[in-house]
Amino acid sequence: MELNVKQDCIGVDWSAVSAILKTVGMAYHEPEALRRAFEASHTTVFIYRAGQLIGFGRAISDGVYQAAIYDCAVLPEFQGKGHGATLMKNILAQIVDCNVILYASPGKEGFYQKIGFRKMKTGMAHFKNSKSMKERGFTE
Ligand SMILES: CC(C)(COP(=O)(O)OP(=O)(O)OC[C@H]1O[C@@H](n2cnc3c(N)ncnc32)[C@H](O)[C@@H]1OP(=O)(O)O)[C@@H](O)C(=O)NCCC(=O)NCCS
């Protein structure tokens, strides 16, 4: 089945984005908040299969030398088929001159290592919900 990779936010069903993030256990945001976040991002990528949204991700960036990747997810029934790698390839292709940082969900580090990311030794985060992020294994 043919994949369609879109790089703009036109016609995106933000309720579907919100539902997918919830399904994969990532932070919940209202559809309207997701629309604002994605539309304000430097890079957005959405993957459709037969018209169905199956994955997406975004990068915020100055477009010059720094970028950070967020909200990457593939619907569980489509994981393990290379769609996550396609997603990352398309995001990275739009920020080629940038240093790129992200924080992996616990257990997903290997996915990012396979495409060239390395663990940071001095990464620091000031999370809004610091207690929950600690409980979920993101911080010490
Ligand atoms: C992380 C995620 C985007 C990966 O998407 P995917 O479509 O399953 O990944 P792919 O099939 O493209 O995998 C690419 C490669 O990474 C490997 N890989 C995937 N997940 C991995 C993991 N958790 N640990 C180690 N390797 C992993 C695959 O085996 C594959 O290796 P190969 O090239 O040798 O075959 C997807 O699992 C997901 O949406 N998870 C839930 C949400 C999430 O945690 N997002 C990341 C937030 S940081």
Side-chain angles (χ1 to χ4, degrees):
M1 189 79 61
E2 198 173 317
L3 288 186
N4 184 13
V5 180
K6 275 193 62 189
Q7 299 188 339
D8 61 58
C9 294
I10 298 166
V12 170
D13 179 350
W14 300 107
S15 300
V17 174
S18 183
I20 291 172
L21 287 174
K22 191 174 173 196
T23 299
V24 301
M26 290 172 69
Y28 177 79
H29 297 285
E30 295 288 341
E32 175 59 14
L34 288 165
R35 181 191 68 74
R36 287 171 49 213
F38 274 73
E39 286 186 354
S41 298
H42 177 275
T43 294
T44 57
V45 173
F46 302 89
I47 299 183
Y48 292 85
R49 184 178 174 277
Q52 179 191 6
L53 180 64
I54 63 162
F56 50 78
R58 68 187 178 103
I60 57 175
S61 177
D62 49 37
V64 185
Y65 56 86
Q66 301 292 2
I69 290 178
Y70 292 98
D71 296 331
C72 287
V74 172
L75 260 180
E77 55 267 43
F78 296 101
Q79 291 177 10
K81 301 175 192 301
H83 300 318
T86 298
L87 183 64
M88 292 300 296
K89 191 181 85 181
N90 277 274
I91 293 174
L92 293 171
Q94 296 180 65
I95 44 177
V96 280
D97 293 325
C98 293
N99 294 320
V100 183
I101 61 171
L102 58 80
Y103 57 92
S105 297
K108 304 298 181 193
E109 298 92 328
F111 167 70
Y112 294 107
Q113 280 169 339
K114 282 212 157 170
I115 49 176
F117 283 78
R118 295 293 172 260
K119 283 192 180 174
M120 293 171 67
K121 288 192 173 174
T122 60
M124 306 288 287
H126 189 291
F127 288 119
K128 277 194 74 171
N129 197 341
S130 58
K131 185 167 176 280
S132 159
M133 292 304 270
K134 183 174 180 184
E135 283 166 3
R136 293 168 59 202
F138 285 97
T139 53
E140 295 177 346

